[in-house]
């Protein structure tokens, strides 16, 4: 069975985990410090903290920006649920806009049109294969004095011009879930705009605790708990060293997908040929009805032949939470079409070119039936 996503953990990593477990220092410790140092280096020395997930990082990002009740945050209707959920969780209102059909990048004209006096931030999601126009995004944010919280969960290792995502801009969050470009089991990172903001993250990720000169503790902010364990962090340290190899293998596999994917009418493939993009997923849009299929039957047919698939993503504005803000079907045609037609084909660093050939052959066969 070929899984659509899978982590790659080598023997060195497993030994390193065992060493941390034997050390008895298994909660936040020296490996967290080392992972933060190494990640920060990869993001042009910007202030970086690791956390228990990208979702937690988004909640903290919104809190760092002082966003709460009465505020609006503009985000894409077509992304994972975390942005919407965390905007709601901090007491703000999610304002949805559509995205580009091919890059899935947030539609900046619609962002501009959605800005009100209550708008405080834009939360775009970056997708594999191509970023949106980040110069235009940041120019727009600057014109309207808005914060930007980039959901970079899927694009660790992607570049905008000469700079890595996370290596410039305002706030970026990354995910180290096992399906992502590197993993810490569960985990995430936040890159913030200043050292003062990083200090605020330190409070927000650990009970709001501040140490006083007499060694007692004050609670400066009523905060939650999002600190990463050293067991997870040591996995991250080892994964980060292997990330270039993982990304190179993913890029090679994607090249093969573009070469071998059957020429099916109506199919939309991901953006091809943009330099220095990382490839977390290979998402394809398929007009299932044209082939007498539904997405469910298509996925089941692939599954029956040993090909696992994923689905990224449903449309946020059409979830129960989204509809609760008055959104309805038909408002965001691109995001909704992606939600209806998207399927995520297997892509991870442990795959071979033969695996891609097999997936493409199975897809061709299923669509021919
Ligand atoms: C685009 C996107 N953002 C955020 C997340 C949330 O990441 P985490 O599981 O680390 O909270 C995911 C996870 O799938 C994602 O795909």
């Amino acid at each position: 069975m070929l899984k659509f996503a899978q982590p790659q953990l080598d023997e060195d990593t497993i030994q390193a985990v065992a060493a941390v477990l034997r050390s008895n220092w298994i909660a936040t410790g020296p490996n967290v410090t080392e992972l933060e140092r190494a990640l920060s280096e990869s993001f042009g020395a910007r202030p970086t903290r690791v956390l228990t997930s990208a979702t937690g990082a988004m909640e903290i990002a919104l809190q760092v920006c002082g966003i709460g009740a009465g505020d609006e945050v503009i985000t894409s209707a077509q992304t994972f649920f975390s942005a919407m959920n965390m905007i709601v969780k901090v007491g703000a209102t999610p304002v949805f806009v559509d995205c580009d059909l091919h890059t899935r990048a947030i539609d900046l004209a619609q962002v501009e049109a959605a800005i009100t006096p209550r708008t405080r931030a834009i939360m775009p999601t970056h997708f594999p294969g191509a970023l949106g126009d980040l110069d235009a995004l940041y120019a727009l944010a600057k014109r309207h004095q808005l914060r930007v919280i980039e959901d970079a969960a899927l694009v660790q290792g992607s570049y905008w011009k000469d700079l890595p995502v996370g290596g410039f801009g305002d706030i970026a969050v990354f995910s180290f879930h096992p399906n992502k470009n590197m993993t810490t089991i569960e985990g995430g990172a936040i890159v913030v705009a200043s050292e003062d903001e990083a200090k605020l993250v330190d409070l927000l990720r650990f009970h709001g605790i501040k140490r006083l000169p007499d060694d007692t503790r004050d609670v400066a902010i009523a905060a939650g708990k999002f600190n990463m364990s050293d067991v997870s962090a040591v996995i991250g340290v080892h994964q980060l060293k292997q990330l270039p190899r993982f990304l190179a293998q993913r890029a090679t596999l994607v090249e093969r997908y573009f070469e071998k994917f059957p020429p099916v009418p109506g199919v939309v493939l991901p953006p091809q040929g943009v330099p220095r993009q990382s490839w977390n997923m290979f998402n394809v849009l398929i007009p299932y009805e044209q082939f007498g299929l539904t997405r469910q039957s298509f996925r089941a047919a692939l599954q029956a032949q040993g090909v696992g698939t994923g689905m990224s993503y449903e449309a946020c504005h059409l979830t129960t939470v989204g509809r609760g803000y008055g959104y309805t079907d038909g408002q965001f045609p691109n995001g909704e079409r992606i939600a209806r037609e998207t399927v995520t084909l297997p892509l991870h660093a442990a795959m071979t070119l033969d695996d891609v050939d097999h997936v493409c052959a199975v897809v061709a066969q299923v669509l021919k039936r």
Side-chain angles (χ1 to χ4, degrees):
M1 185 71 204
L2 194 52
K3 293 189 183 138
F4 84 92
Q6 176 180 306
Q8 209 182 11
L9 297 162
D10 63 6
E11 196 50 40
D12 279 357
T13 308
I14 293 166
Q15 291 302 324
V17 168
V20 171
L21 291 174
R22 289 194 184 98
S23 79
N24 286 329
W25 195 326
I26 58 178
T28 302
N31 285 292
V32 165
T33 306
E34 171 53 19
L35 180 57
E36 288 178 343
R37 187 205 61 74
L39 282 168
S40 175
E41 190 177 288
S42 77
F43 301 133
R46 298 188 72 218
T48 304
R49 296 292 188 271
V50 296
L51 301 162
T52 40
S53 69
T55 306
M58 284 183 206
E59 182 175 351
I60 284 182
L62 289 158
Q63 290 174 318
V64 163
C65 296
I67 291 169
D71 297 329
E72 293 174 357
V73 178
I74 301 173
T75 189
S76 177
Q78 178 43 246
T79 179
F80 187 60
F81 311 122
S82 302
M84 168 180 76
N85 283 349
M86 293 307 104
I87 293 165
V88 173
K89 198 172 170 203
V90 300
T93 301
V95 175
F96 295 110
V97 297
D98 210 353
C99 64
D100 183 81
L101 187 69
H102 296 273
T103 63
R104 305 189 178 193
I106 199 165
D107 183 320
L108 292 182
Q110 290 192 20
V111 170
E112 185 134 39
I115 293 170
T116 75
R118 288 146 75 112
T119 308
R120 299 288 310 282
I122 309 169
M123 280 183 91
T125 298
H126 303 316
F127 285 85
L131 303 167
D133 185 340
L134 297 192
D135 292 341
L137 169 73
Y138 274 103
L140 172 63
K142 195 171 171 194
R143 265 200 316 281
H144 294 276
Q145 296 183 319
L146 301 176
R147 297 298 302 258
V148 176
I149 301 168
E150 299 177 41
D151 179 351
L154 304 172
V155 297
Q156 192 181 4
S158 280
Y159 277 70
W160 173 249
K161 299 185 172 164
D162 291 333
L163 296 171
V165 172
F168 65 95
D170 195 354
I171 294 182
V173 307
F174 296 86
S175 173
F176 306 135
H177 175 273
N179 289 357
K180 299 304 186 288
N181 291 345
M182 61 168 261
T183 190
T184 58
I185 307 178
E186 297 288 355
I190 183 168
V191 183
V192 287
S194 67
E195 288 301 337
D196 281 348
E197 286 191 350
K199 286 193 187 116
L200 187 49
V201 174
D202 290 338
L203 287 180
L204 289 167
R205 74 174 165 180
F206 198 72
H207 312 287
I209 287 175
K210 217 175 206 171
R211 296 224 166 245
L212 298 176
D214 69 355
D215 216 24
T216 61
R217 295 168 293 180
D218 181 28
V219 174
I221 309 169
K225 188 169 188 288
F226 299 91
N227 58 307
M228 184 184 276
S229 79
D230 243 35
V231 178
S232 279
V234 80
I235 297 174
V237 168
H238 281 252
Q239 289 270 297
L240 187 57
K241 286 182 187 148
Q242 297 171 81
L243 185 63
R245 181 167 62 75
F246 295 160
L247 296 181
Q249 178 64 6
R250 285 172 175 277
T252 302
L253 297 166
V254 162
E255 236 173 84
R256 186 73 151 214
Y257 264 122
F258 282 122
E259 223 176 278
K260 292 288 179 81
F261 198 84
V264 208
V267 162
V268 179
L269 295 181
Q272 188 179 5
V274 181
R276 302 186 84 180
Q277 299 304 298
S278 65
W279 284 96
N280 182 254
M281 298 193 284
F282 195 77
N283 290 319
V284 178
L285 303 186
I286 297 178
Y288 305 95
E289 311 81 59
Q290 281 182 34
F291 302 96
L293 295 163
T294 62
R295 176 167 52 196
Q296 218 173 356
S297 64
F298 174 79
R299 293 183 69 198
L302 263 62
Q303 176 87 12
Q305 300 209 50
V307 176
T309 57
M311 215 174 29
S312 300
Y313 300 99
E314 295 84 349
C316 289
H317 68 293
L318 299 181
T319 61
T320 299
V321 170
R323 287 182 192 275
Y325 288 87
Y327 291 94
T328 54
D329 302 70
Q331 281 185 280
F332 305 120
N334 290 341
E336 291 174 31
R337 178 170 167 199
I338 292 167
R340 278 193 310 274
E341 297 188 358
T342 190
V343 66
T344 308
L345 298 177
L347 182 67
H348 55 76
M351 278 172 61
T352 64
L353 293 177
D354 284 349
D355 291 330
V356 176
D357 293 352
H358 174 63
V359 174
C360 291
V362 170
V363 168
Q365 190 196 334
V366 169
L367 293 181
K368 207 181 269 173
R369 261 187 227 156

